[in-house]
């Protein structure tokens, strides 16, 4: 592999090892400011307090003090994002913090928390997390439902359904749920499935009532009827079966519960991306080897295939959302091709009487989290060069989407859009699910200084 090249000034490169030429070319082709990667050591580390809304102020204050004592650096609450705590030194290992070992906190960047909270989960909601691994957002969503359940009847209890295509990543998600979810485990399903084609609706009304499930299950096939009886029971339980959860409590894993016809009230599409906005993620490749960065981010045709995958995930999530519901689309990429161009392609397929972007409530007022506007061509020449002159109205509809830029937000990079569904639209052909534009391939790039 070619030698790494410097990014920015020599002082900044001391905080992040030299980046390989292929990644620098990826940044150029995707219009990403390489200066972002000079800030990695300056960003804090974030954690989230489990079941924050159930904790007393005294408990939380003491917990923050204990985290500070263990970390040996400044620790403070993120006032504008409930439940999140900022640890000044990013290099602190969670394993040295007793609250983490005790299961009271979980590692989660505040940018991811904002994306999940942007859905405004309400009592009784059935929530779908279409790309759920490694599980931090899934756990947060379950926490929010648990917060509401204290004042609601059993009939109003909601559910959280997670989907991930990778059994390995789903296993990570399952472990996180088992460790931290507590009683919330009874309201969570995790499927190993393709998010672009996933078609399991929300659990049927009465799923939480054992008698209702028992009565209704007689009219549907039992999950065991589709299992291979020649396989030992222990192994059958670990097998991912299409249409059945890979992890769920008994009441949510019966054929009755998985034969629901209701659409979801809230859908989160935190789409698979190149993770270039996650500075900690990029930094880890210095230890893992830059060859892995090439494989997972810039090699092959990912710059083209990832936005297409994201468009399909977004479209399927929208199909599973009920009218009046809210979908949040987010990525931890800084590439306009994975953000504005994917969202713009979606809006071009769905008229204003079907889909409308809304402000993100958590970011609507003044606060410590500073957002950046979405990318938009600045003049007629740029509109023409980008081939977007006929798409100005689409960008106008995107005005409530936001970017979290590490240079100003003090978080990892994130793109977030909150979309309300007004009504169903026409069924689309797969060939119609496209982005506004695709980036040039970085596969054969020539290293150049930044």
């Amino acid at each position: 592999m070619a030698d790494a090249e410097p990014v920015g000034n020599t002082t900044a490169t001391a905080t992040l090892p030299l980046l390989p030429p292929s990644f620098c070319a990826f940044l150029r082709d995707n219009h990403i400011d390489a200066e972002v990667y000079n800030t990695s050591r300056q960003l804090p580390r974030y954690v989230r307090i489990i079941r924050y809304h159930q904790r007393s102020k005294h408990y939380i204050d003491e917990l923050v003090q204990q985290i500070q004592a263990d970390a040996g650096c400044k620790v403070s609450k993120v006032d504008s994002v409930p439940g999140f705590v900022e640890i000044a030194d990013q290099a602190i290992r969670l394993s040295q913090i007793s609250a983490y070992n005790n299961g009271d906190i979980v590692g989660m960047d505040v940018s991811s928390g904002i994306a999940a909270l942007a859905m405004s989960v309400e009592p009784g909601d059935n929530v779908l997390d279409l790309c759920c691994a490694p599980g931090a957002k899934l756990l947060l969503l379950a926490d929010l439902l648990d917060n509401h359940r204290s004042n609601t009847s059993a009939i109003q209890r909601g559910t959280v359904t997670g989907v991930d295509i990778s059994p390995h990543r789903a296993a990570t998600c399952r472990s996180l749920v088992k460790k931290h979810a507590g009683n919330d485990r009874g309201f969570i399903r995790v499927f190993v499935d393709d998010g672009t084609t996933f078609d399991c609706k929300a659990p049927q009304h009465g799923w939480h009532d054992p008698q209702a499930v028992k009565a209704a299950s007689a009219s549907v096939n039992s999950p065991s009827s589709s299992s291979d009886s020649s396989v030992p029971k222990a192994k059958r339980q670990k097998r991912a079966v299409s249409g059945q959860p890979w992890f769920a409590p008994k009441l949510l894993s019966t054929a009755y519960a998985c034969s629901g016809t209701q659409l979801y009230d809230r859908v989160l599409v935190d789409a698979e991306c190149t993770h270039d906005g996650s500075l900690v993620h990029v930094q880890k490749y210095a230890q893992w080897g830059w060859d892995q960065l090439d494989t997972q981010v810039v090699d092959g045709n990912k710059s083209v295939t990832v936005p297409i995958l994201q468009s399909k995930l977004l479209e399927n999530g929208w199909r599973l959302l009920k009218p009046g519901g809210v979908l949040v689309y987010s990525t931890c990429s800084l590439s306009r091709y994975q953000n504005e161009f994917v969202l713009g392609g979606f809006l071009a397929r769905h008229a204003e009487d079907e889909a409308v972007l809304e402000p993100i409530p958590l970011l609507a007022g003044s606060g410590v989290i500073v957002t950046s506007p979405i990318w938009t061509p600045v003049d007629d020449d740029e509109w023409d060069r980008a081939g977007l002159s006929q798409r100005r109205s689409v960008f106008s509809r995107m005005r409530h989407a936001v970017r979290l830029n590490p240079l100003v937000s003090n978080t990892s990079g994130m793109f977030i859009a909150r979309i309300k569904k007004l009504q169903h639209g026409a069924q689309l052909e797969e060939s119609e699910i496209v982005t506004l534009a695709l980036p040039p391939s970085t596969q054969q790039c020539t290293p150049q200084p930044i």
Side-chain angles (χ1 to χ4, degrees):
M1 189 176 85
D3 292 337
E5 58 183 88
V7 177
N9 57 56
T10 55
T11 301
T13 56
T15 66
L16 186 67
L18 302 182
L19 298 173
S22 55
F23 185 63
C24 293
F26 168 85
L27 299 182
R28 284 192 297 272
D29 287 344
N30 285 270
H31 308 279
I32 299 172
D33 183 1
E35 186 65 24
V36 166
Y37 301 94
N38 289 343
T39 69
S40 63
R41 285 293 187 189
Q42 301 169 23
L43 293 180
R45 178 158 204 165
Y46 293 98
V47 296
R48 185 179 72 82
I49 300 173
I50 299 296
R51 287 179 284 283
Y52 169 80
H53 292 94
Q54 299 177 23
R55 310 295 191 183
S56 68
K57 181 180 183 301
H58 176 72
Y59 173 90
I60 293 171
D61 290 342
E62 283 197 339
L63 185 65
V64 171
Q65 292 176 11
Q66 182 61 54
I67 295 172
Q68 179 166 291
D70 291 342
C73 64
K74 182 181 178 181
V75 173
S76 57
K77 291 181 289 185
V78 182
D79 293 330
S80 59
V81 187
F84 280 81
V85 175
E86 176 183 313
I87 302 174
D89 186 355
Q90 187 192 94
I92 295 298
R93 293 181 179 274
L94 291 181
S95 58
Q96 71 186 73
I97 299 175
S98 57
Y100 173 78
N101 296 322
N102 295 335
D104 295 322
I105 62 173
V106 64
M108 184 179 189
D109 194 86
V110 72
S111 60
S112 295
I114 293 172
L117 292 168
M119 289 195 295
S120 303
V121 170
E122 296 291 340
D125 280 346
N126 287 310
V127 184
L128 173 63
D129 184 353
L130 203 54
C131 307
C132 69
K137 287 183 289 296
L138 188 81
L139 201 61
L140 171 54
L141 296 172
D143 267 12
L144 294 174
L145 286 177
D146 185 66
N147 172 47
H148 291 306
R149 282 205 305 273
S150 60
N151 296 317
T152 59
S153 65
I155 201 71
Q156 293 176 299
R157 289 178 177 175
T159 60
V160 181
T161 298
V163 182
D164 200 272
I165 196 171
S166 165
H168 173 73
R169 286 171 56 82
T172 301
C173 185
R174 180 176 65 173
S175 297
L176 194 69
V177 168
K178 284 186 173 182
K179 178 178 180 181
H180 294 288
N183 291 335
D184 294 340
R185 289 172 57 181
F187 304 89
I188 299 174
R189 305 184 297 176
V190 176
F191 289 81
V192 176
D193 210 337
D194 184 345
T196 66
T197 57
F198 179 73
D199 196 37
C200 186
K201 307 298 191 298
Q204 289 191 31
H205 180 73
W207 66 267
H208 60 277
D209 181 357
Q211 296 304 316
V213 173
K214 182 178 180 180
S217 293
S219 61
V220 293
N221 293 327
S222 168
S224 60
S225 64
S226 60
S227 301
D228 184 354
S229 59
S230 65
V231 179
K233 181 178 179 181
K235 292 187 177 181
R236 289 205 307 269
Q237 290 175 335
K238 296 180 180 180
R239 177 182 294 176
V241 179
S242 178
Q244 295 296 327
W246 198 48
F247 168 77
K250 186 175 182 180
L251 290 180
L252 279 178
S253 59
T254 64
Y256 166 68
C258 292
S259 60
T261 58
Q262 301 180 70
L263 296 175
Y264 294 88
D265 303 282
R266 298 287 188 269
V267 175
L268 175 62
V269 182
D270 186 42
E272 176 66 27
C273 67
T274 49
H275 304 287
D276 52 84
S278 175
L279 306 191
V280 174
H281 190 85
V282 173
Q283 187 181 11
K284 287 180 179 178
Y285 287 107
Q287 303 170 1
W288 298 340
W290 292 118
D291 288 335
Q292 292 191 46
L293 178 71
D294 279 348
T295 301
Q296 298 183 28
V297 178
V298 300
D299 266 7
N301 210 23
K302 284 185 179 293
S303 292
V304 174
T305 59
V306 167
I308 294 173
L309 171 63
Q310 293 165 334
S311 298
K312 292 179 178 179
L313 288 166
L314 176 54
E315 204 61 59
N316 195 41
W318 186 253
R319 182 182 64 84
L320 293 168
L321 179 69
K322 65 171 56 174
V326 170
L327 179 148
V328 166
Y329 174 74
S330 61
T331 80
C332 60
S333 172
L334 299 173
S335 169
R336 67 184 66 163
Y337 296 105
Q338 300 178 47
N339 297 325
E340 289 87 352
F341 288 7
V342 170
L343 179 59
F346 171 83
L347 293 176
R349 296 187 296 273
H350 300 278
E352 291 183 78
D353 62 352
E354 183 188 342
V356 59
L357 264 71
E358 297 183 326
I360 297 170
L362 196 66
L363 302 175
S366 59
V368 297
I369 304 296
V370 180
T371 63
S372 302
I374 65 169
W375 175 83
T376 305
V378 296
D379 53 34
D380 290 342
D381 287 343
E382 188 168 10
W383 281 104
D384 291 338
R385 287 196 305 271
L388 298 171
S389 295
Q390 305 302 313
R391 297 297 191 184
R392 294 178 189 242
S393 62
V394 168
F395 277 84
S396 176
R397 293 173 61 193
M398 279 193 271
R399 65 186 180 277
H400 291 308
V402 299
R403 280 175 170 262
L404 297 178
N405 183 337
L407 292 174
V408 296
S409 68
N410 207 36
T411 70
S412 287
M414 184 72 73
F415 177 88
I416 309 173
R418 172 187 164 112
I419 317 168
K420 184 170 184 177
K421 186 171 189 174
L422 302 180
Q423 62 178 339
H424 289 302
Q427 186 171 350
L428 298 171
E429 298 293 335
E430 185 173 352
S431 59
E432 298 179 87
I433 305 175
V434 296
T435 70
L436 291 182
L438 291 171
S441 173
T442 60
Q443 193 171 14
Q444 303 298 330
C445 57
T446 301
Q448 299 176 17
I450 293 180

